[in-house]
Amino acid sequence: MGVGVAWANQVRVEAVKTVFFYVSIVALVCVGYGRCLVGRTRPESEKRLCYKYVWCIITVHSVSCWESQARPRQKRLAELEQQVLEKASRVETLSRQLEESKRHAGEMQGQLEESKCQQGEVEQQLSVRLRDCEEELARQAARPHQVKFVTEIVEVESSESQQAVAEAQAKSAALQEQLSLQRQLLRELETQLHDSQRTSTQLRAQILVYEGEMERAQGQLEAEMQNLEEEKNRVIEEAFIRAESEMKAVHDNLAGVRMNLLTLQPALRTLTCDYNCLKRQVQDFPFMLEKAITEAKQEICQVIGEVSSANQELLRKYKREMNLRKKCHNELVRMKGNIRVFCRVRPVCRGEHDSAENMVSFDPDDDALLYLSNKVKLMTFELDKVFHPQATQEEVFQEVQSLVTSCIDGFNVCIFAYGQTGSGKTYTMEGVAKDPGINQRALRLLFSEVTEKAPDWDFKITVSMVEIYNETLRNLLGDNQGEKLDIKMNPDGSGHLYVPGLTEFTVQSPEDINRVFELGHMNRATACTNLNEHSSRSHALLIITVAGVNSSTGHRTQGKLNLVDLAGSERIAKSGAEGSRLREAQCINKSLSALGDVINALRSRHSHVPFRNSRLTYLLSDSLSGDSKTLMMVQVSPLVSNMSESVCSLKFAQRVRTIELGNATRRQWENSSTSSSSAQALRQTFPRSLSQIWGIRFHSVPLPLMIQVGKPTV
Ligand SMILES: Nc1ncnc2c1ncn2[C@@H]1O[C@H](COP(=O)(O)OP(=O)(O)OP(=O)(O)O)[C@@H](O)[C@H]1O
């Protein structure tokens, strides 16, 4: 039953598989047909090939299907045959058992017959003996006289008769005993007979049971054999029918495949033809490729030639534009003035009780105006830019960074911090560790700028640090702090100055920048007992040289940036210095005066510029002349007690600034008595608002005065 269900399941699974296969084939054909429809441009031979391919798949699958269905049937047939063999062997075993039982029953019957026979014989013997004994007894009984006689005789012949009686009695007892034994034996034989009869009855019943069972088993076996035979015949018949139909289908498919093969041949011929054509093309390809490469090379060469001539043209234009840009820049700087003056008012420091609330004030609308008021009057100072006490280091640097970067373009730049002691010069230039000043920020900016230009330009940044104390030059990056440096004319005949023995440190990474400042600060500190006091009385110079070469044009630039923290500018009279302090103050005064003279002479286009009047101006001579740019950062203390020094510093700054306004046109106005009134008239023609809108600034000091300014008084 279970086998039948499994068989049915398997047939069902096969049927599902077949249906699925045919559905997928139909889908494949549909897709193929759809593609053929879409790609109508495909050759007919390809379509035919596609159909043939599908037919082949169907044929192969049908054969494999038939095989896969025949395989389980054969297996089932083998199982049935195995079952028949098993049943046959069981029937044989049962027959053998039956034979055995029959033989056993025969034996038992034989034994029974024998026992009966023996019993008859014994019974017969016993009955004969019994009869003999009874006869004897009867004879004995029938002879009483004889006994009496015998008794008499016994009485006569007593011993003999007594013996004979005793023997007869013993004989009689023995016979009696034998009789009882025979009776017992008879009883036992009767019991055995009963047992044998019972066993025989049982065996017969068992034989009957076995015979019935055998008949039943044989009937079952025959029925099952018949069923199996029928099933086998049916299955064989079915398989035969299916195989026949499948064979027919296979034959049909085969015929189709043959037909397809016949039609494939022309397609194959076409393909072979195409292949030969392609082969010829492949053979020709290297020549075609070579030809194409040669043509492409020629075209590329032509294009390269065109591009290089265009490049040359662009380079020429670029150089022209660069020169123009430089000229424009110079013109712009010239218009703005090569000297710019900023003012920075430091905040009131902790512990300073001298409130400056009313002494310094600012114009909310104009960041170039600063007001100083003492008890009696209010003074107005106009500069290029005024930084109020809250201005950050970053804000200050924002204003000076264009000057700093111009040294990459080959300009010489000087930035001075000027002011009395304690007005914030060192703070502005050096700053503090957490908030560095112009020096560090400038070096970092230059480094990042040249790094950005690195692909086109090869720049080298070198740094030197010197200190001028009592007109003596000291190298702050060198090993020997006691060595005094000299300024000499360069023996190469270039007319430039140089300082023999001055250390030049090449900056190659941002870490180098930190190293330079640490070393400079350390060397400056080791050379003096009180750094603060010492720094007030000496000028500190950071000299940065930026030299670059353009890798494509070979164009070279060299610019120098001088960052100068000047010594304190307080008046000797007020400080009341004596001895060494007096000499220090005189030296400071001398160098600051010389700086004023140089600026004055430069802006006045004097034929002689007194650079040699101090070490400071002599050292900076190449950075102050020509197209160089100068920024003076005037530091002002907000304290009332520093009022007079603040006024002096601001007056000096303003004079410096007004000098630069008298540029090219100043020469015409020099020594002209009308120039003052002309400038005044010009100034009056521009309303202040207009001048602010156009960025043109007029100053409160008359222009001719600028030229008349002599040495700045400090
Ligand atoms: N803008 C500022 N913000 C905060 N503190 C400042 C500022 N400017 C100056 N100071 C502080 O004022 C004090 C004096 O400044 P600094 O030492 O820079 O003056 P200096 O002009 O260099 O003096 P010296 O000529 O003696 O060297 C310092 O403690 C400094 O930190």
Side-chain angles (χ1 to χ4, degrees), residues 344 346-347 349 389 391 420-428 532 535-536 565-568 635:
R344 187 179 190 185
R346 76 157 170 86
C349 295
Q420 72 170 113
T421 299
S423 56
K425 298 183 295 294
T426 310
Y427 186 87
T428 297
N532 282 343
S535 73
S536 305
D565 179 3
L566 291 170
Q635 294 287 146

Side-chain angles (χ1 to χ4, degrees), residues 388-459:
H388 52 80
Q390 287 75 40
T392 61
Q393 299 280 63
E394 180 58 33
E395 282 167 10
V396 172
F397 186 67
Q398 290 270 323
E399 291 294 325
V400 302
Q401 68 178 12
S402 61
L403 264 183
V404 169
T405 49
S406 71
C407 89
I408 297 175
D409 296 330
F411 287 98
N412 288 343
V413 180
C414 277
I415 300 177
F416 296 98
Y418 177 87
Q420 72 170 113
T421 299
S423 56
K425 298 183 295 294
T426 310
Y427 186 87
T428 297
M429 297 311 285
E430 283 180 21
V432 286
K434 279 185 187 165
D435 198 5
I438 292 172
N439 288 3
Q440 262 203 55
R441 285 172 196 264
L443 197 48
R444 282 186 198 285
L445 180 68
L446 286 175
F447 188 74
S448 72
E449 289 279 318
V450 301
T451 311
E452 254 177 46
K453 293 187 176 192
D456 305 321
W457 286 85
D458 181 18
F459 278 105

Side-chain angles (χ1 to χ4, degrees), residues 146-252:
Q146 276 181 354
V147 173
K148 210 174 180 178
F149 178 71
V150 170
T151 309
E152 283 169 2
I153 294 166
V154 167
E155 280 172 1
V156 176
E157 313 169 303
S158 62
S159 60
E160 285 177 6
S161 356
Q162 279 178 349
Q163 195 179 353
V165 169
E167 278 176 4
Q169 281 177 339
K171 219 172 184 177
S172 171
L175 284 169
Q176 284 288 344
E177 197 178 341
Q178 210 172 357
L179 187 64
S180 67
L181 279 172
Q182 288 298 329
R183 275 189 187 133
Q184 197 178 348
L185 190 65
L186 185 66
R187 270 198 302 280
E188 277 174 8
L189 283 170
E190 272 175 355
T191 316
Q192 271 186 5
L193 183 66
H194 284 304
D195 286 348
S196 297
Q197 278 171 344
R198 203 169 48 249
T199 311
S200 159
T201 319
Q202 279 175 357
L203 281 171
R204 265 196 210 104
Q206 211 170 350
I207 286 163
L208 283 174
V209 170
Y210 280 151
E211 275 173 355
E213 209 173 301
M214 257 186 67
E215 270 170 24
R216 210 169 43 253
Q218 208 156 2
Q220 269 182 8
L221 185 68
E222 274 167 12
E224 205 163 329
M225 287 250 313
Q226 199 171 345
N227 283 345
L228 286 172
E229 191 69 26
E230 278 169 13
E231 199 173 334
K232 182 180 134 191
N233 291 337
R234 191 176 52 76
V235 168
I236 289 171
E237 211 171 314
E238 274 177 16
F240 186 73
I241 290 163
R242 201 168 297 149
E244 254 184 354
S245 68
E246 279 166 8
M247 275 298 285
K248 196 164 169 283
V250 167
H251 276 300
D252 290 349

Side-chain angles (χ1 to χ4, degrees), residues 485-674:
L485 300 177
D486 207 359
I487 306 166
K488 290 188 173 169
M489 191 60 73
N490 203 324
D492 64 1
S494 61
H496 291 134
L497 297 173
Y498 88 112
V499 182
L502 178 66
T503 307
E504 286 192 329
F505 193 99
T506 306
V507 177
Q508 284 165 333
S509 67
E511 290 75 44
D512 288 348
I513 298 172
N514 295 339
R515 232 169 284 148
V516 164
F517 287 110
E518 272 170 27
L519 184 64
H521 195 262
M522 201 175 72
N523 283 345
R524 205 173 181 200
T526 49
C528 56
T529 44
N530 184 339
L531 179 64
N532 282 343
E533 247 185 46
H534 179 81
S535 73
S536 305
R537 320 241 158 263
S538 60
H539 308 299
L541 285 86
L542 176 71
I543 304 161
I544 304 168
T545 312
V546 184
V549 186
N550 188 305
S551 46
S552 54
T553 61
H555 181 67
R556 285 176 183 274
T557 60
Q558 176 149 342
K560 207 188 253 187
L561 173 65
N562 299 283
L563 302 167
V564 190
D565 179 3
L566 291 170
S569 61
E570 62 271 22
R571 287 178 300 174
I572 304 166
K574 192 183 174 189
S575 60
E578 288 175 0
S580 63
R581 294 299 293 272
L582 182 62
R583 178 169 151 61
E584 279 173 357
Q586 282 169 342
C587 286
I588 292 165
N589 268 356
K590 187 185 162 198
S591 59
L592 292 177
S593 299
L595 181 64
D597 291 346
V598 163
I599 292 171
N600 190 10
L602 282 170
R603 293 303 160 207
S604 311
R605 309 271 194 241
H606 285 179
S607 54
H608 172 69
V609 182
F611 287 119
R612 284 174 176 262
N613 282 358
S614 80
R615 291 264 159 186
L616 177 71
T617 49
Y618 193 36
L619 184 65
L620 296 176
S621 55
D622 59 344
S623 300
L624 286 169
S625 52
D627 282 336
S628 60
K629 303 167 190 182
T630 303
L631 170 73
M632 184 72 79
M633 178 71 78
V634 179
Q635 294 287 146
V636 171
S637 161
L639 305 183
V640 177
S641 53
N642 296 136
M643 175 75 175
S644 57
E645 281 81 8
S646 300
V647 171
C648 277
S649 298
L650 285 165
K651 278 184 176 171
F652 173 76
Q654 205 159 39
R655 272 202 305 276
V656 167
R657 185 165 177 274
T658 48
I659 286 166
E660 56 95 7
L661 274 175
N663 47 38
T665 53
R666 283 181 301 186
R667 281 172 190 271
Q668 294 169 3
W669 297 338
E670 197 170 355
N671 300 325
S672 163
S673 56
T674 57

